[in-house]
Amino acid sequence: MKTYIVGNWKLNFNVGEASIYLHKLQRKMPNYRDVEVVVAPSAVALQPLSLQIDRHKMKLAAQNAFYRDYGAYTGEISFAQLRGLVDYCIIGHSERRHIFGEDDKMIQKKVAAAIRNKIKPILCIGETESERGFGETADVIRDQLVGGLADVSEEDIDKVLIAYEPVWAISSTKAAKMASPDEVAEVVDLVRSVLGELYGEKVAKETAVLFGGSVNPSNAGAYLTVPGVNGLLIGGASLILSEFTDIIETAKRVRA
Ligand code: 13P
């Protein structure tokens, strides 16, 4: 399986800045066949960047989209409109869940809409600090997985990536804490066992599971060597070219 290094730019970079960053990133980066590098700019930059991107080196992801393909949904962008522009879409990010009120039902529909439009969903799951404190982590992870995947058939599950992002470890969260490799390993294990219950052992083993939350060049290696982790979803550090390329190099080294 490839190692996935995904940069989630969130609400940063205007179109010009995004284009310059991509230009520099592509110039600096060789083509690593076993590391899939993905960047997720804001929606306005997707169209121009889709013309600029060297798809042999990296891929584009959207950060969000709406589950209806067209219609009277003012302000929304659909997966149907993104079809052909992006290869991936981040779905159910904790910022979407907690700031914009997305629930598992909506996320379920978005995952299905992405697959219907040939876009691979990166389904984000993760518990908050208080859920962890109350010992609810396993229940939250299970609910988010079962909910998000409810419409995904056995035939389509190989298009889905899972990203475990404990909300308390995301750098924008007040007083973010770093997740320990053991804490990550425990939840990734649980993710794979739920996948096994839903789709069988092969899927449990072969689904890409990423980790995200305050990943930087100094801890990337430790997270990438957690058993069962196939990649990283990176916020802050993906905005700094030297840090992002450092993490990509680390992924390459860890695989070698
Ligand atoms: P940070 O890497 O800034 O903690 O963000 C993680 C994240 O939310 C990526 O989707």
Side-chain angles (χ1 to χ4, degrees), residues 6 90-94 97 121-126 141 144-145 160-166 187-188 191 207-212 231-233:
V6 184
I90 298 169
I91 298 179
H93 191 279
S94 69
R97 292 178 189 263
I122 303 173
L123 172 61
C124 298
I125 57 173
I141 296 298
Q144 291 180 347
L145 263 180
V160 177
L161 289 76
I162 308 294
Y164 170 51
E165 294 206 314
V187 175
V188 168
V191 169
T207 301
V209 181
L210 281 52
F211 170 72
L232 301 169
L233 180 53

Side-chain angles (χ1 to χ4, degrees), residues 5-9 38-41 90 232-235 238 244:
I5 300 296
V6 184
N8 176 8
W9 294 354
V38 182
V39 292
I90 298 169
L232 301 169
L233 180 53
I234 304 152
S238 76
F244 193 55

Side-chain angles (χ1 to χ4, degrees), residues 56 85 146 190 197 229:
H56 297 295
L85 291 188
V146 172
L190 172 68
E197 288 164 29
V229 168

